[in-house]
Amino acid sequence: MTKVLVVDDVADNVKLLAYELADQGYDTIEASNGPQALELAKAERPDVILLDIMMPGMDGIEVCRRLKVDPILEPIPVIMVSAREREEDVIRGLDAGAYDYITKPFNSQIVAARVRSAARAKGAHDQIAILATTDSLTGLPNRNRLQEHLACCVASDRENDKFFALLLLDLDRFKEINDTFGHHYGDAVLRELNPRLSTAVRGHDTVARLGGDEFGILLPGVDRSGAVRTAERLLASLERPFVVEGQSVEIGTSIGIALYPEHGRDPATLMKRADVAMYASKRARSGHAVYTARQSDLNPERLTLISDLRRGIGEGQLLLHYQPKVDLATMRTTKVEALVRWLHPREGLIMPDQFIPQAEQMRLIKPLTLWVLETALAQCRAWHEAGIDLDVAVNLVPDSLQDSELVSTIADLLKSSGAAPDWLTLEITESAMMSDPAHARSALKRLHAMGVKIAIDDFGTGYSSLAHLKDLPVDEVKVDRSFVKDMSLNDRDACIVRTVIDLGHNLGLHVVAEGVEDSPTHALLTSLGSDIAQGYYYSRPLPATDIPDWIRRSTKSLAPVGMASQR
Ligand code: C2E
Ligand code: CA
Ligand code: CA
């Protein structure tokens, strides 16, 4: 049942609202001041909060602010209650992150409709959150979920989290099983892993499927010897052969162990080191291994490669490819996404996944971003001059929003390139909002005020939050590739995509589906009302020189069929 928290210092108002809401079938809880409201929100996790603005002591605006900085309470929609004549209060409330408002004296039909709308939004949010954090094959938590738990453990000051262990478990020769018996057989084996692994851990441990045949296990409050004992139990649970369709196979397993805080203090380092330990154990066929610095030897080739990048940026080794974003209503391309590549003199073409994360660590990301923006804007201007009205989207890493010079740099680049601000879209991930939301928000607002468009990239993989979107100057959401990929085969994925499309439209945003690879997916997206699509089905990322030709061809033939075959 939908639970509504009603907060007002005037007892009669609380009673009146609670009465109306109970009549509509809502479960209500009541608070008469700010601190009590925060406490109840934490303990009861209501679905909607009705919050009076004018209260003695901590007023509704302050309560709302505090709710919105708490990652757990933040998604709960807040409806502000204000006196009719105090419009400036309403504005302050919405600025503090409120979802909506109602005015006194109450019109019960409006109250009911606004609570219904907020409850629907919360329902959609919860649904996405669940779908986005579980693995559909095994029903286990997925990589996002494990990352969240890891981040919580690292940030927590609870006694039990002073130390913990992260285990990475990888099946040996799983690919052979898939190749020999077929994928459905491999899938059956993976499903069987959930009940087995669960018997080897405690109730509050997290076992997650990270993808393929790789699993991550988080053990709070466990030290080295405890982690080794658990690893041995996990290995024992997988020793018994797997029997599928009368076929019996044995599967070898390797586990790598990283310990907090000994081997790292942040999630990324711990994941990397558990991975290094896992490979060491695979090589040694030892079943499990605890991380040691010697194992990593930090692959010297990779390190020189990255130190080459600094020079590479200056010496013109980077290049941009552009992937069309196709308007599904007209099948026209009005925008392209710029994607960087590195043409290394020795190694050949290197894809961004291979150097962007390292560039971030090496602080090379700033010159790289600058180069990408400069090049993309110059290209965009050149297209416009040639009569091709193409806008361009550029990716930003999350840290860029924390860079205090970002806004002025972009303003300067727009001026010097002669490109109009609304030709540029910046694609950022939701995680960009996490570390310093106020700062990120203000940077986005200033960029948006200049006319630059903002897209939320990889939507659904992080802390998907309705409230963020409602509150931010966002023009576009891009549904993550991982949901789009199998949506024509997988109802859950299709359901997520549909929810995001509806949600995006309710918030007045353009919805983009990325990673469209085939015609059934294209057809389904069109019927669900997605605005824009992007993917190999339409076109791979292309060199700038191929774009005018693509535009010509795609305007001529309105049907996309056959486009995908042309590189
Ligand atoms: P992204 O922003 O999600 O970009 C889309 C990626 O999906 C691109 O990979 C694109 O080639 C790929 N893709 C497009 N259609 C399909 C499809 O139908 N199927 C599949 N499987 N993949 C498809 P790419 O170019 O390798 O870029 C990977 C990531 O690297 C990007 O993910 C983005 O996060 C990052 N990146 C790329 N260029 C830049 C850049 O200039 N700056 C920054 N900060 N990051 C960049
Ligand atoms: Ca992108
Ligand atoms: Ca993306």
Side-chain angles (χ1 to χ4, degrees), residues 101 226 332 387 448 474 513:
Y101 67 94
R332 291 189 181 230
H448 201 252
V474 174

Side-chain angles (χ1 to χ4, degrees), residues 107-341:
N107 170 327
S108 58
Q109 271 170 335
I110 288 185
V111 173
R114 298 224 153 137
V115 171
R116 261 200 313 278
S117 149
R120 257 201 315 275
K122 175 68 168 22
H125 170 272
D126 291 353
Q127 195 184 3
I128 294 177
I130 292 171
L131 291 168
T133 54
T134 43
D135 169 53
S136 54
L137 178 65
T138 60
L140 287 167
N142 66 11
R143 178 184 289 271
N144 298 330
R145 190 54 182 280
L146 184 78
Q147 297 279 15
E148 264 175 41
H149 280 198
L150 254 181
C152 279
C153 281
V154 167
S156 158
D157 43 15
R158 281 204 313 259
E159 198 53 39
N160 206 19
D161 296 331
K162 288 265 156 60
F163 48 91
F164 62 81
L166 175 68
L167 277 54
L168 273 195
L169 181 154
D170 192 273
L171 304 181
D172 301 335
R173 299 181 303 116
F174 183 71
K175 191 175 170 310
E176 275 172 45
I177 294 178
N178 264 333
D179 292 348
T180 314
F181 300 108
H183 278 276
H184 70 289
Y185 192 98
D187 285 354
V189 169
L190 291 174
R191 271 195 294 270
E192 172 66 20
L193 283 179
N194 179 359
R196 293 209 193 183
L197 296 176
S198 301
T199 59
V201 298
R202 306 159 304 169
H204 57 278
D205 297 335
T206 306
V207 179
R209 178 168 176 228
L210 303 182
D213 58 345
E214 202 183 37
F215 295 78
I217 298 132
L218 180 64
L219 310 171
V222 162
D223 62 4
R224 177 183 296 256
S225 67
V228 168
R229 274 199 307 278
T230 306
E232 280 164 358
R233 277 203 307 276
L234 287 164
L235 290 170
S237 79
L238 300 182
E239 253 168 23
R240 217 169 2 101
F242 287 76
V243 183
V244 179
E245 293 166 3
Q247 297 265 14
S248 155
V249 285
E250 290 190 31
I251 294 186
T253 311
S254 304
I255 297 178
I257 304 172
L259 302 166
Y260 174 90
E262 198 180 330
H263 298 144
R265 292 183 166 275
D266 63 279
T269 307
L270 288 164
M271 287 292 266
K272 214 175 327 146
R273 299 203 151 159
D275 194 51
V276 167
M278 195 269 292
Y279 274 102
S281 115
K282 226 173 233 224
R283 271 198 307 275
R285 297 171 194 256
S286 58
H288 60 78
V290 180
Y291 173 81
T292 68
R294 205 159 11 96
Q295 287 161 350
S296 75
D297 283 332
L298 262 175
N299 194 341
E301 284 165 39
R302 265 268 71 92
L303 271 183
T304 23
L305 197 61
I306 291 306
S307 65
D308 286 353
L309 182 58
R310 197 181 304 274
R311 211 154 19 98
I313 299 174
E315 291 181 359
Q317 293 171 12
L318 295 183
L319 53 110
L320 286 182
H321 281 180
Y322 299 86
Q323 187 175 37
K325 293 169 101 168
V326 179
D327 184 324
L328 287 177
T330 61
M331 291 311 294
R332 291 189 181 230
T333 303
T334 53
K335 198 189 278 188
V336 290
E337 176 177 2
L339 295 156
V340 69
R341 280 93 183 84

Side-chain angles (χ1 to χ4, degrees), residues 337 395 427 457 478 514:
E337 176 177 2
N395 292 280
E427 298 195 358
D457 209 350
K478 301 188 77 177
E514 57 180 357

Side-chain angles (χ1 to χ4, degrees), residues 319-321 323-324 337-341 351-357 360 365 368-369 371-373 393-398 400 427 429 457-458 478 480-481 484-485 514-518 534-541:
L319 53 110
L320 286 182
H321 281 180
Q323 187 175 37
E337 176 177 2
L339 295 156
V340 69
R341 280 93 183 84
M351 298 307 270
D353 289 338
Q354 303 292 314
F355 62 91
I356 297 272
E360 276 184 88
I365 201 70
L368 184 142
T369 307
W371 180 86
V372 171
L373 279 164
V394 167
N395 292 280
L396 291 186
V397 300
S400 292
E427 298 195 358
T429 58
D457 209 350
D458 306 342
K478 301 188 77 177
D480 190 60
R481 189 159 76 241
V484 175
K485 193 167 49 96
E514 57 180 357
V516 181
E517 294 188 353
D518 53 33
Q534 186 181 349
Y536 296 168
Y537 175 62
Y538 312 100
S539 169
R540 297 203 170 241

Side-chain angles (χ1 to χ4, degrees), residues 332-392:
R332 291 189 181 230
T333 303
T334 53
K335 198 189 278 188
V336 290
E337 176 177 2
L339 295 156
V340 69
R341 280 93 183 84
W342 177 16
L343 191 55
H344 189 279
R346 230 181 25 255
E347 306 284 329
L349 197 66
I350 307 180
M351 298 307 270
D353 289 338
Q354 303 292 314
F355 62 91
I356 297 272
Q358 286 87 345
E360 276 184 88
Q361 279 167 22
M362 307 271 293
R363 293 170 200 278
L364 287 174
I365 201 70
K366 224 170 136 167
L368 184 142
T369 307
L370 192 68
W371 180 86
V372 171
L373 279 164
E374 216 169 4
T375 311
L377 286 173
Q379 183 61 62
C380 186
R381 161 89 197 254
W383 280 325
H384 277 261
E385 277 178 349
I388 302 172
D389 285 344
L390 260 192
D391 297 349
V392 65

